[in-house]
């Protein structure tokens, strides 16, 4: 199995993944009468582990019920320990992006899901993302948290596929090759 770092996210039409307060409640306004997971289950079936930023981890902890059946590695330089309810499910890592990838590969986790705005920006800036699956929601937030870095990326981005979901969302699958 090849090694791959993938981003899977939803963004507003103007490119934000969260509003100014860091909330993603605008996603719950999508009309989804059959409760489709929009391909997320199939995506997760192909993933070995999740690398998550601290802010995203904090959001996940608000759900009440742990949503993942894969190990989650939380990158944080400020956290000293994770909450007790995440024990055995999430692991705190204080390492650089490149170091955590190397450590996870040594553990046999080759297909990684990179999750969290700032973390995704850092991975992209360092050429550490291989593909991105982006669902664009027809909502304009105006301000908020972007997932793309402010500076230009030195990479080749190729569109692999695009589809319309629920008659209003656009899912685009990109391959990203560092130069």
């Amino acid at each position: 199995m090849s090694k791959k770092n993938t981003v899977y996210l939803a963004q507003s039409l103007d490119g934000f993944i969260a509003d100014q307060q860091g909330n993603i409640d605008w996603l719950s306004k999508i009309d989804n009468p059959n409760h489709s997971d929009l391909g997320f289950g199939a995506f997760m079936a192909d993933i070995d582990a999740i690398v998550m930023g601290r802010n995203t981890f904090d959001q996940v902890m608000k759900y009440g019920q742990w949503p993942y059946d894969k190990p989650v590695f939380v990158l944080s330089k400020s956290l000293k320990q994770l909450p007790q309810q995440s024990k055995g499910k999430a692991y705190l890592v204080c390492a650089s992006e490149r170091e955590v990838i190397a450590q996870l590969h040594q553990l046999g986790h080759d297909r990684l899901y990179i999750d969290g705005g700032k973390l995704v920006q850092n991975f992209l800036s360092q050429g550490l993302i291989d593909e991105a699956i982006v669902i664009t929601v027809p909502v304009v937030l105006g301000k908020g948290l972007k997932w793309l870095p402010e500076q230009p990326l030195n990479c080749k981005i190729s569109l692999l596929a695009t589809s319309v979901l629920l008659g209003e969302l656009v899912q685009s699958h990109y391959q990203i090759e560092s130069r």
Side-chain angles (χ1 to χ4, degrees):
M1 190 179 293
S2 65
K3 295 178 177 167
K4 188 180 344 182
N5 300 330
T6 305
V7 172
Y8 186 108
L9 58 83
Q11 69 173 4
S12 63
L13 197 56
D14 50 349
F16 296 104
I17 57 172
D19 67 17
Q20 278 186 282
Q21 290 75 39
N23 296 318
I24 59 171
D25 54 353
W26 53 275
L27 289 170
S28 64
K29 296 176 183 158
I30 298 168
D31 189 23
N32 187 355
N34 296 325
H35 307 289
S36 168
D37 74 353
L38 308 176
F40 189 70
F43 166 73
M44 286 299 292
D46 197 37
I47 294 298
D48 297 326
I50 303 164
V51 180
M52 186 177 288
R54 188 240 169 107
N55 292 336
T56 302
F57 177 75
D58 288 345
Q59 284 277 356
V60 168
M61 292 308 297
K62 292 178 187 175
Y63 297 156
Q65 184 176 339
W66 189 254
Y68 305 111
D69 63 355
K70 308 285 176 144
V72 174
F73 297 89
V74 181
L75 260 64
S76 177
K77 292 181 171 83
S78 60
L79 276 178
K80 300 298 179 222
Q81 65 182 32
L82 297 179
Q84 188 64 30
Q85 62 264 39
S86 67
K87 187 174 177 135
K89 301 170 190 162
Y91 308 92
L92 184 60
V93 180
C94 184
S96 73
E97 289 81 1
R98 289 186 190 282
E99 289 170 339
V100 77
I101 289 172
Q103 290 172 11
L104 294 179
H105 287 173
Q106 285 180 341
L107 294 172
H109 301 305
D110 294 330
R111 299 175 70 79
L112 305 176
Y113 168 25
I114 311 303
D115 192 19
K118 291 176 188 168
L119 190 68
V120 168
Q121 289 178 10
N122 292 344
F123 271 70
L124 279 168
S125 295
Q126 295 179 49
L128 299 174
I129 298 293
D130 301 300
E131 67 179 3
I133 301 166
V134 181
I135 298 173
T136 302
V137 180
V139 170
V140 176
L141 297 177
K143 292 183 180 178
L145 177 65
K146 292 219 176 231
W147 65 279
L148 290 168
E150 295 291 325
Q151 73 277 7
L153 295 174
N154 187 21
C155 60
K156 180 181 186 235
I157 302 173
S158 303
L159 180 65
L160 299 177
T162 297
S163 57
V164 176
L165 307 174
L166 304 176
E168 67 176 320
L169 310 176
V170 176
Q171 182 181 61
S172 300
H173 188 163
Y174 299 96
Q175 181 176 350
I176 303 171
E177 298 175 42
S178 297
R179 294 185 176 172

